[in-house]
Amino acid sequence: MPDFCCQSRVKAVFVKAVVLMMTVSLLAPESFARFDPKPASPNFYSLDQEVQAGQQAAAEIDRKMPLVTDPQLNRYIQDLGRRLVAVAPGPKYPYTFKIVNEKDINAFALPGGPIHVNLGTIQAADNEAQLAGVIAHEMGHVIMRHSTHMASQQAVGQLGLGILGALIGRGTAGQLAQAGLAFGVNSVFMKYSRDAESQADLVGTDIMHDAGYDPIQLAKFFQKLDESGGSRGPQFFSDHPNPGNRVQSVSAEAATLPRENYRTDSQQFEAAKEIAMGMHPYTAQQIAQMEKSGVNPNNGNQSYGNGSGRNRQEQVAGRNNGSYDNDVPEQQYQSLNHRDFTMQYPADWRAYGDANSEVTIAPQNGIVREGNQDAVAYGVIISGFQPENRDNNPNNQFDEGTHQIIDQLRQSNPDMRTTSREENFTVDGAKAKSIMLMGTSPLKDQQGRTARERDWLVTVQRNDGTILYMVFIAPDQDFSQLRPQFEHMVRTFKVR
Ligand code: ZN
């Protein structure tokens, strides 16, 4: 009898559990199983082709759309992206993150990893989790291979599966192009289906959860966009149509995940947002106008000759060769007309000083307060120098003068030391020298330690024996990112 007693109790418990499970599954049909990020068929692209197609499209986009070059903003978006990539499901795509200098709230993903977020999106996000949500949603499109799936579907519609199969058998990019599967810039902006949007939300929800962000912020951001939309609504919804019930579907997916103490915001986001709010992005119309009039928004105003054009091609070639790094291409430049020289500098940087004296050119937030002085953390200082006359030979005078300038720099930054030999070259036909130095940045690293700073000194000899010099400054870890801009300034430097 005790057996029976126990059995019935077990049975009672079992029945109760079944009832409980039924209740739960009625409320949330997908309980206890997170979304399975399995890309849909057909898809005629191999993963390599997927990556290649996306990088070709990215190279084209970077010629047509102005990119934000602010080093701190770029570093921030890359740090945030990296945190999400670390937990992303699916193949290890070479994700890259860039900020388009555009006002509209929008973001887009290219096949195989390149993700672009408009500056307007950073300006509109209330907290880091919302921005993470937009990026995670875009990663969802990459992981679900939505773009190449759509391109494949279109090709089936046009050619039929039989012809496609024969064409794609050997599968090079050229054959894909023949099959109408080349991935042009226009296909980048294909409108996603509502199903694709829901899927990207669900993958995004899981990525956010795994990265420690509250997934509901993803839905909240899109809801906010929806409610604040003007007559035609925000641009985001023309490319990413609202699937409806975002809050419910994201909540239902989040309910399948173990509860966590989510974070929503960070100091880094607040700092990045402050920089973004101080910038004035282009409107979509202005960007369209640039494209129409043939202006390359990342390559200045056409007026400075062949050098930069050649450079541009090299950069694009670099991308097509499969370099997965986040190099920042050249962007729009403006002219500085000083009494002693002219040069081009990035359009989103500011020049301080006046046309007759020392000039400092720096990106937003490139100048920081150190004690009660301003210090340049990112940027360039351009100044003139009268060598002390110890030698009558003008060449020796130039050598001497360059050393005197280095001594002077050391006086304001005692840790500074040279890390390269002097190299002789010419700037605008004048004798010039290039020397790399390492010193102490006014910025602290993430552990609160003083960051190392790289300084690139360029001296230029003038006919009257005086010297013009430029000191390009950036924290060591960001120097290579700014190098293209620095080199462009040297290339366009003209002595008056
Ligand atoms: Zn979308």
Side-chain angles (χ1 to χ4, degrees):
M1 292 310 149
D3 275 343
F4 176 74
C5 158
C6 283
Q7 263 181 3
S8 69
R9 196 182 297 153
V10 167
K11 204 172 175 185
V13 170
F14 180 66
V15 168
K16 204 168 159 193
V18 168
V19 171
L20 197 74
M21 275 174 65
M22 279 174 64
T23 321
V24 170
S25 59
L26 280 175
L27 285 173
E30 288 168 344
S31 293
F32 311 126
R34 64 161 67 192
F35 177 72
D36 177 16
K38 193 168 171 273
S41 299
N43 198 321
F44 301 116
Y45 291 75
S46 69
L47 288 187
D48 279 349
Q49 288 164 344
E50 178 106 9
V51 169
Q52 199 191 352
Q55 294 200 341
Q56 277 170 4
E60 198 178 339
I61 295 237
D62 294 351
R63 282 196 300 273
K64 292 190 170 171
M65 305 191 97
L67 298 177
V68 168
T69 58
D70 182 278
Q72 281 169 286
L73 266 183
N74 276 300
R75 174 131 55 90
Y76 172 72
I77 202 87
Q78 270 147 49
D79 286 348
L80 180 57
R82 212 173 296 134
R83 219 171 298 147
L84 302 171
V85 167
V87 297
K92 295 279 165 242
Y93 288 114
Y95 289 98
T96 57
F97 301 93
K98 288 180 183 161
I99 307 168
V100 180
N101 196 5
E102 183 174 348
K103 197 173 171 181
D104 278 333
I105 300 166
N106 206 353
F108 57 88
L110 302 173
I115 288 173
H116 290 65
V117 178
N118 281 3
L119 186 64
T121 307
I122 302 176
Q123 292 177 328
D126 292 329
N127 52 53
E128 182 162 276
Q130 292 189 350
L131 182 58
V134 172
I135 297 173
H137 172 99
E138 296 303 329
M139 288 170 70
H141 285 306
V142 172
I143 291 158
M144 297 303 291
R145 308 182 69 196
H146 283 145
S147 299
T148 49
H149 169 58
M150 278 193 284
S152 300
Q153 272 181 321
Q154 275 183 1
V156 171
Q158 284 159 10
L159 297 175
L161 207 48
I163 299 174
L164 264 179
L167 276 172
I168 289 160
R170 283 145 299 162
T172 62
Q175 280 150 350
L176 286 175
Q178 263 180 29
L181 283 170
F183 214 92
V185 75
N186 291 324
S187 33
V188 168
F189 297 105
M190 280 191 301
K191 191 172 165 164
Y192 292 113
S193 68
R194 281 171 213 277
D195 278 352
E197 283 306 294
S198 295
Q199 290 171 356
D201 279 355
L202 295 179
V203 178
T205 297
D206 293 352
I207 291 174
M208 285 186 77
H209 168 271
D210 293 344
Y213 292 105
D214 187 355
I216 202 68
Q217 292 294 335
L218 181 159
K220 279 199 173 146
F221 184 66
F222 292 143
Q223 198 181 30
K224 175 179 133 170
L225 290 193
D226 203 17
E227 285 160 5
S228 67
S231 54
R232 67 187 177 98
Q235 187 61 33
F236 189 87
F237 291 127
S238 357
D239 303 333
H240 305 261
N242 190 346
N245 298 326
R246 273 198 146 114
V247 173
Q248 286 96 315
S249 63
V250 166
S251 304
E253 178 66 12
T256 69
L257 307 164
R259 276 232 169 249
E260 280 193 17
N261 286 327
Y262 292 125
R263 77 186 125 154
T264 298
D265 212 355
S266 75
Q267 274 185 348
Q268 288 84 349
F269 172 80
E270 293 304 327
K273 177 152 175 170
E274 199 184 314
I275 296 173
M277 293 312 276
M279 296 174 76
H280 302 285
Y282 297 107
T283 64
Q285 277 168 320
Q286 286 171 322
I287 293 171
Q289 195 58 46
M290 280 187 235
E291 195 183 332
K292 224 167 143 187
S293 52
V295 173
N296 180 338
N298 294 308
N299 202 16
N301 43 25
Q302 298 168 304
S303 61
Y304 50 84
N306 300 325
S308 58
R310 193 179 64 237
N311 187 283
R312 152 69 34 194
Q313 275 165 12
E314 278 162 12
Q315 284 189 354
V316 171
R319 274 212 188 75
N320 289 345
N321 287 340
S323 70
Y324 294 162
D325 57 1
N326 294 308
D327 57 334
V328 177
E330 292 188 52
Q331 81 279 354
Q332 196 178 19
Y333 289 89
Q334 54 185 318
S335 302
L336 180 72
N337 293 306
H338 189 274
R339 183 192 61 193
D340 300 324
F341 62 90
T342 61
M343 76 191 295
Q344 300 268 352
Y345 67 97
D348 55 354
W349 292 22
R350 263 186 72 182
Y352 305 86
D354 67 58
N356 301 310
S357 68
E358 182 174 290
V359 177
T360 297
I361 308 173
Q364 184 100 12
N365 286 22
I367 297 177
V368 298
R369 203 78 185 147
E370 195 183 37
N372 46 15
Q373 272 189 332
D374 283 335
V376 181
Y378 296 90
V380 55
I381 296 168
I382 307 149
S383 195
F385 188 76
Q386 170 79 59
E388 281 176 46
N389 234 344
R390 286 182 217 157
D391 203 310
N392 287 329
N393 180 327
N395 285 335
N396 294 347
Q397 217 176 55
F398 183 46
D399 281 351
E400 279 273 328
T402 297
H403 294 147
Q404 288 163 14
I405 291 169
I406 294 173
D407 288 342
Q408 216 179 56
L409 292 174
R410 279 215 187 96
Q411 277 168 22
S412 60
N413 194 338
D415 301 331
M416 190 177 269
R417 61 195 166 76
T418 54
T419 57
S420 80
R421 296 157 61 114
E422 286 174 29
E423 279 178 40
N424 294 309
F425 69 123
T426 58
V427 167
D428 185 31
K431 264 179 174 284
K433 285 180 189 291
S434 159
I435 303 112
M436 279 294 180
L437 303 111
M438 192 73 92
T440 307
S441 171
L443 297 178
K444 303 266 183 277
D445 68 11
Q446 280 159 344
Q447 284 79 41
R449 290 175 309 213
T450 311
R452 283 153 65 78
E453 172 177 289
R454 196 172 279 271
D455 303 277
W456 177 28
L457 172 66
V458 173
T459 57
V460 183
Q461 187 180 33
R462 300 183 74 200
N463 290 335
D464 63 2
T466 60
I467 296 174
L468 287 172
Y469 69 93
M470 299 165 247
V471 189
F472 296 95
I473 302 160
D476 188 27
Q477 58 177 343
D478 295 329
F479 192 89
S480 57
Q481 202 189 14
L482 284 172
R483 204 180 182 115
Q485 279 89 18
F486 290 165
E487 288 179 350
H488 184 85
M489 287 187 252
V490 174
R491 271 201 308 276
T492 58
F493 192 87
K494 293 198 167 24
V495 183
R496 281 193 149 163

